[in-house]
Amino acid sequence: MKPGILIISHGSRETAWVQLVDHAIAAAALSPRLSNVPIMSSFLEIVEGRLIQDGIDALEEQGVTDMFVVPLFLSSGSTHVDEIGQAFGFPWVSDLEGDLGTFRVSANVHYGVPIDDDPEIAELLAMNIAELSSEPEKEALLLIGHGSKEKVFHERWQEGLMKLGERLRVLGGYKRAEYAMLLPDQAAAKLAAMQAANPEEAVIVVPLFLSQGYFTNHVIPTRLAGLEYRYNGRAMLPHAAIERWLERQMYMGLQRLNN
């Protein structure tokens, strides 16, 4: 058996987005626990020459017989996580069919899990918003994620956002934590409802995105236009917590391949 690791993230037209992901993966791969293990980073779309099939082919060309796939996505509610699994031949989690077809792969494939409510990522988010907080016991959080309208996936997003919000509330000593999705469009209505119910509470908006870009810089501010809130648009990368999450996922994946 020769193990290998394939990390899959979404991809972006923004070069800086791709570079941040690449740097995080490269840093995680330096771990002594991963020495001599082939590691490839691939993207679901957009990044030509580095798509998922390209990564599979590159690992198999290096003789990999057992492949652990790490989905570098934020939520189990992402339809992309399921469509990637479908394309590797894993069971569907709903009746929604992806459009990736079937990958050409000879290796035995094992599939990991996305970030969801990982405790260390909650700590990362707490640090991201610390500068926005002055009296946490009088402040509320509004976590905003991409979300999904699709059955099953919507509920998975809800569960992850609720758990992550509670972790973050406890860490920072905030009064309350709420959440909203961009798909469906919930953010403005949720923020307005929070302010109507508790006008004395300042609201800190926490974006749940891997890297700063279109959603953090444009979509969220546009959706919340005209409402009062605190926001710095800070995303998860660059941060060592993502590197440590990746290293843990890869190491645990290797342990699974060896058992």
Side-chain angles (χ1 to χ4, degrees):
M1 184 189 80
K2 181 172 181 178
I5 296 170
L6 179 65
I7 301 171
I8 301 173
S9 51
H10 187 279
S12 172
R13 290 179 177 82
E14 298 176 35
T15 303
W17 191 102
V18 175
Q19 289 176 340
L20 284 171
V21 171
D22 282 343
H23 291 163
I25 293 171
L30 293 174
S31 168
R33 301 200 293 181
L34 303 171
S35 59
N36 301 318
V37 177
I39 298 170
M40 293 298 301
S41 170
S42 290
F43 299 92
L44 174 68
E45 60 184 20
I46 300 171
V47 187
E48 289 299 323
R50 298 187 60 191
L51 300 179
I52 299 172
Q53 189 64 58
D54 298 315
I56 295 169
D57 293 344
L59 286 173
E60 293 195 332
E61 285 169 7
Q62 295 179 65
V64 166
T65 61
D66 291 78
M67 190 180 304
F68 186 73
V69 177
V70 178
L72 182 52
F73 289 85
L74 295 184
S75 173
S76 296
S78 169
T79 55
H80 297 316
V81 174
D82 187 49
E83 71 173 333
I84 292 167
Q86 288 179 26
F88 275 113
F90 292 102
W92 301 14
V93 302
S94 80
D95 57 3
L96 183 68
E97 183 175 3
D99 58 5
L100 292 177
T102 302
F103 297 134
R104 301 184 310 276
V105 57
S106 300
N108 298 313
V109 177
H110 298 254
Y111 200 24
V113 295
I115 290 171
D116 284 325
D117 65 319
D118 183 87
E120 193 167 9
I121 301 305
E123 293 176 7
L124 182 166
L125 294 171
M127 287 185 280
N128 277 358
I129 61 172
E131 67 182 24
L132 302 175
S133 174
S134 55
E135 297 179 280
E137 69 280 1
K138 298 178 182 178
E139 297 162 350
L141 304 177
L142 176 58
L143 281 69
I144 298 182
H146 185 281
S148 175
K149 292 180 179 179
E150 302 293 342
K151 192 170 58 177
V152 177
F153 300 100
H154 183 81
E155 288 74 19
R156 287 185 170 198
W157 264 106
Q158 279 184 316
E159 181 180 5
L161 287 168
M162 182 174 63
K163 289 180 177 178
L164 189 58
E166 180 59 15
R167 286 191 189 277
L168 196 49
R169 185 195 68 77
V170 171
L171 275 172
Y174 296 100
K175 181 73 174 178
R176 72 188 78 251
E178 303 282 351
Y179 63 85
M181 302 180 206
L182 296 176
L183 187 68
D185 185 359
Q186 303 172 329
K190 176 56 71 81
L191 178 53
M194 291 172 69
Q195 292 173 336
N198 300 282
E200 75 286 357
E201 294 176 2
V203 178
I204 297 173
V205 170
V206 187
L208 298 183
F209 289 87
L210 196 59
S211 180
Q212 287 181 217
Y214 178 68
F215 286 99
T216 57
N217 299 337
H218 176 74
V219 176
I220 291 176
T222 299
R223 298 274 178 96
L224 300 181
L227 296 168
E228 272 307 308
Y229 62 99
R230 299 176 189 171
Y231 181 68
N232 60 15
R234 194 165 294 159
M236 296 181 184
L237 284 173
H239 200 284
I242 293 291
E243 298 165 12
R244 290 191 294 268
W245 181 87
L246 284 164
E247 194 272 348
R248 287 199 308 276
Q249 299 306 307
M250 290 191 282
Y251 178 70
M252 289 188 293
L254 290 178
Q255 297 298 103
R256 281 176 56 182
L257 294 182
N258 289 322
N259 290 336

